Amino acid sequence: SQTIHQWPATLVQPVGSPLSLECTVEGTSNPNLYWYRQAAGRGLQLLFYSVGIGQISSEVPQNLSASRPQDRQFILSSKKLLLSDSGFYLCAWSSGEGPYNEQFFGPGTRLTVL
Amino acid sequence: KQEVTQIPAALSVPEGENLVLNCSFTDSAIYNLQWFRQDPGKGLTSLLLIQSSQREQTSGRLNASLDKSSGRSTLYIAASQPGDSATYLCAVISNSGYALNFGKGTSLLVTP
């Protein structure tokens, strides 16, 4: 069966510091990978998705970037965090057999920027 | 732009009741719709996926229906239990095929 891991589970960072969140998927090959953010009082919003190694699509302009160095690894980064980057970050995967597939989510990372 | 709305925002029911959660979307040209459950501080658990060609899907005590033409979906929970207490999220896939557009959820509390 497939499992998805995210770390760290919680993170408290000062404004202006860098960020690296990691997501890995087990039990599947060539998945589509996603980063979503859930901010207080707002719905979930897709930040980035990737259909393959090195391929990144951005849904919204922001202070963040994403990379996919390996097939089942997805990284969310920032060079300098803003207060508005606080939120709950969720990684998800779906079958790589095209779009429109069911998405499965990880446990999330709670980021607080002070 | 696709807008997804969930009503009610919060719901409290006594154990054993059957209940319905509502989801509406503005653009009926969807490919599929997913219902999720989110426990406090946790990730999302996929409950049901309905393809655009389907009218309903069932899993245990859960039944989800889809009416594309009217832009509506409902999640029916039979014989509710305290363990069903969570936030339920509805999401539709975008035309790109990758982005899920989420509603803000219905917070459900089932009291013993």
Side-chain angles (χ1 to χ4, degrees), chain B residues 29-105:
Chain B
I30 66 169
Y31 291 90
N32 65 41
L33 183 146
Q34 244 179 297
W35 280 96
F36 295 89
R37 167 185 172 141
Q38 186 176 29
D39 292 287
K42 304 294 185 183
L44 277 61
T45 300
S46 180
L47 298 173
L48 290 164
L49 172 75
I50 309 179
Q51 302 286 357
S52 61
S53 58
Q54 298 173 319
R55 282 199 164 266
E56 64 179 313
Q57 280 283 7
T58 298
S59 176
R61 294 183 293 109
L62 305 178
N63 176 278
S65 66
L66 174 64
D67 184 342
K68 269 186 57 177
S69 60
S70 66
R72 294 182 181 179
S73 176
T74 61
L75 179 67
Y76 175 83
I77 302 177
S80 58
Q81 303 170 358
D84 295 329
S85 298
T87 296
Y88 290 81
L89 294 159
C90 163
V92 297
I93 199 79
S94 70
N95 290 338
S96 73
Y98 296 101
L100 280 172
N101 296 301
F102 282 87
K104 292 188 176 180

Side-chain angles (χ1 to χ4, degrees), chain A residues 45-84:
Chain A
Q45 183 180 38
L46 179 67
L47 303 175
F48 302 95
Y49 69 89
S50 171
V51 299
I53 296 174
Q55 296 181 310
I56 306 295
S57 295
S58 175
E59 287 288 302
V60 292
Q62 60 222 305
N63 183 42
L64 304 169
S65 62
S67 62
R68 185 171 177 175
Q70 300 180 37
D71 181 44
R72 290 169 289 175
Q73 183 184 32
F74 205 22
I75 297 172
L76 184 69
S77 304
S78 174
K79 292 182 179 179
K80 289 185 178 181
L81 283 168
L82 306 172
L83 286 174
S84 58

Side-chain angles (χ1 to χ4, degrees), chain A:
Chain A
S1 65
Q2 300 85 7
T3 55
I4 179 169
H5 303 279
Q6 289 186 243
W7 64 89
T10 61
L11 191 59
V12 179
Q13 291 284 95
V15 169
S17 64
L19 173 73
S20 181
L21 303 182
E22 190 165 344
C23 170
T24 59
V25 181
E26 295 177 355
T28 187
S29 297
N30 195 31
N32 297 326
L33 296 172
Y34 310 82
W35 279 111
Y36 287 84
R37 178 169 61 197
Q38 189 173 34
R42 299 183 179 181
L44 276 147
Q45 183 180 38
L46 179 67
L47 303 175
F48 302 95
Y49 69 89
S50 171
V51 299
I53 296 174
Q55 296 181 310
I56 306 295
S57 295
S58 175
E59 287 288 302
V60 292
Q62 60 222 305
N63 183 42
L64 304 169
S65 62
S67 62
R68 185 171 177 175
Q70 300 180 37
D71 181 44
R72 290 169 289 175
Q73 183 184 32
F74 205 22
I75 297 172
L76 184 69
S77 304
S78 174
K79 292 182 179 179
K80 289 185 178 181
L81 283 168
L82 306 172
L83 286 174
S84 58
D85 292 324
S86 292
F88 193 45
Y89 288 82
L90 290 155
C91 181
W93 74 274
S94 67
S95 167
E97 297 177 4
Y100 312 120
N101 293 311
E102 187 173 4
Q103 295 187 20
F104 302 94
F105 284 73
T109 294
R110 174 76 59 189
L111 172 65
T112 302
V113 183
L114 301 175

